[in-house]
Amino acid sequence: MTLQQLKYMIAVVNCGSINEAAKKLFITQPSLSSAIKELEAEVGVELFIRSPKGITLSVDGAEFLGYARQVVEQAALLEQRYLNKKPSRQLCSISTQHYAFAVNAFVNMIQQSGAEEYEFTLRETRTHEIIEDVKNLRSEIGILYMNPFNRKVIEKMLRENRLDFHPLFEAEPHIFISTQNPLSGRRFVTLEDLEEYPYLSFEQGEYNSFYFSEEILSTVFRKKSIHVSDRATLFNLLIGLNGYTISTGIVSADLNGDNITSVPLRVDDHIQVGWIANHQLQISKQAQVYVQELKTVIRSSGLALLE
């Protein structure tokens, strides 16, 4: 077993395919495939499951990857200390539902890294894809919410995919609206107050189940409903159409400007947001930094952490 083989395996996981990893490593696809198969033969386990749809980590592969990352990180530290090599390129991938605080924490992580070279990825994506990303280690961490309605379904999916949910905070539901909306400034609103306003939500593609909705109360009928795919469009429509969406109440003026405000929504429900990760893996140091930045942003918003 060589350090190069471990680096090859990590590259395949990061890229999601042998072809893409081979391009990034500037070697041929057959050479990379051969190196991975030799590593599997040497350790005596199947690290990857190969199918017509592509390549994914096996259960044994996920455990092996955790050790491989630690070895490669420690080797890089030795090279920096004794061979005067420059720090290795920092890597970290995050998948998240559409939360401004997740972006704030990502910005802070990059600013704190001080790295000369890095390759970070932030995917604001659909709920099912977040779980798939973390399951297949395309992302180290996923950020999503659970509430009494979707908890059993989400927890079942996490168990089946060997993922753990780490609660960050619990919030009362709020609506996000334009500061020019007639409801702006109210102490709270009810569902009845919202009946005549367009409801905005994030579309979930082929997994468009109520349980995968990013917004609570997904089964409530609305006379006017608009589905969008990105946060910028949603906020533009909040302003242009006097629409509303439902979320945690954490608004970022730095990212969203001063045109959006939050108002408490009086319903018998709550939102618990947390991060998910592979049960068998210790997340990288960079991912650990991101989690700490998440906690800092949440504290600064006035919410209590669930620790």
Side-chain angles (χ1 to χ4, degrees):
M1 185 190 309
T2 67
L3 191 62
Q4 190 63 62
Q5 286 175 313
L6 300 184
K7 290 179 179 178
Y8 283 170
M9 180 193 180
I10 293 170
V12 171
V13 172
N14 290 339
C15 293
S17 77
I18 289 182
N19 283 337
E20 290 302 314
K23 292 177 186 176
K24 195 165 187 177
L25 294 166
F26 301 104
I27 61 175
T28 65
Q29 185 270 335
S31 295
L32 181 55
S33 294
S34 176
I36 295 297
K37 288 178 181 177
E38 287 173 6
L39 178 60
E40 289 178 316
E42 185 173 352
V43 299
V45 296
E46 186 180 46
L47 301 175
F48 291 97
I49 298 172
R50 297 155 177 88
S51 72
K53 293 184 178 180
I55 187 169
T56 58
L57 273 176
S58 66
V59 174
D60 289 328
E63 181 179 7
F64 185 88
L65 178 66
Y67 291 110
R69 280 178 169 162
Q70 292 178 52
V71 170
V72 170
E73 285 180 358
Q74 292 301 314
L77 290 174
L78 283 171
E79 291 175 344
Q80 292 167 37
R81 175 67 177 84
Y82 294 104
L83 301 180
N84 295 319
K85 288 195 174 182
K86 69 177 183 179
S88 58
R89 186 179 181 87
Q90 292 191 20
L91 304 171
C92 186
S93 294
I94 310 294
S95 291
T96 178
Q97 291 177 329
H98 297 78
Y99 294 127
F101 66 82
V103 180
N104 280 128
F106 194 77
V107 170
N108 294 346
M109 177 194 72
I110 294 174
Q111 291 175 338
Q112 294 292 334
S113 73
E116 292 183 10
E117 293 186 14
Y118 56 75
E119 185 175 337
F120 299 141
T121 303
L122 180 66
R123 301 183 184 93
E124 284 193 323
T125 189
R126 300 161 176 165
T127 304
H128 188 273
E129 289 172 6
I130 292 169
I131 295 172
E132 285 293 304
D133 282 350
V134 181
K135 167 193 170 184
N136 296 319
L137 297 176
R138 186 165 178 252
S139 290
E140 281 193 76
I141 288 175
I143 301 169
L144 47 75
Y145 89 93
M146 290 195 285
N147 76 328
F149 175 73
N150 73 358
R151 180 175 292 276
K152 287 185 179 180
V153 172
I154 298 297
E155 285 183 338
K156 181 175 183 291
M157 284 194 67
L158 297 182
R159 284 195 304 271
E160 290 173 348
N161 292 299
R162 296 179 176 84
L163 305 178
D164 291 332
F165 180 80
H166 305 268
L168 284 168
F169 68 92
E170 195 165 284
E172 298 301 319
H174 286 64
I175 61 166
F176 285 172
I177 54 175
S178 162
T179 53
Q180 302 304 310
N181 189 296
L183 299 175
S184 178
R186 294 270 295 268
R187 287 178 50 246
F188 65 86
V189 296
T190 65
L191 291 176
E192 289 74 22
D193 295 327
L194 298 169
E195 285 182 353
E196 298 303 319
Y197 294 91
Y199 169 66
L200 303 171
S201 62
F202 290 106
E203 59 94 15
Q204 297 296 318
E206 64 177 299
Y207 295 95
N208 197 27
S209 161
F210 291 130
Y211 297 108
F212 293 131
S213 172
E214 292 189 42
E215 302 81 20
I216 66 168
L217 307 173
S218 56
T219 59
V220 172
F221 173 77
R222 276 92 175 184
K223 292 193 296 184
K224 305 171 184 177
S225 184
I226 302 171
H227 303 288
V228 301
S229 59
D230 68 88
R231 194 155 42 87
T233 299
L234 183 139
F235 283 127
N236 286 337
L237 294 176
L238 289 184
I239 296 169
L241 296 177
N242 263 343
Y244 74 95
T245 191
I246 302 175
S247 192
T248 61
I250 304 178
V251 178
S252 172
D254 291 340
L255 295 176
N256 304 324
D258 299 321
N259 298 320
I260 303 296
T261 188
S262 67
V263 179
L265 175 62
R266 179 165 286 184
V267 290
D268 184 20
D269 208 336
H270 64 272
I271 302 168
Q272 187 180 85
V273 178
W275 58 278
I276 61 172
N278 191 289
H279 174 73
Q280 294 175 286
L281 293 185
Q282 178 180 350
I283 61 174
S284 68
K285 291 180 180 178
Q286 198 60 51
Q288 292 174 36
V289 171
Y290 179 69
V291 171
Q292 290 307 311
E293 292 298 336
L294 272 176
K295 293 179 178 180
T296 298
V297 171
I298 292 162
R299 283 194 201 98
S300 68
S301 72
L303 290 169
L305 290 170
L306 296 174
E307 294 184 299

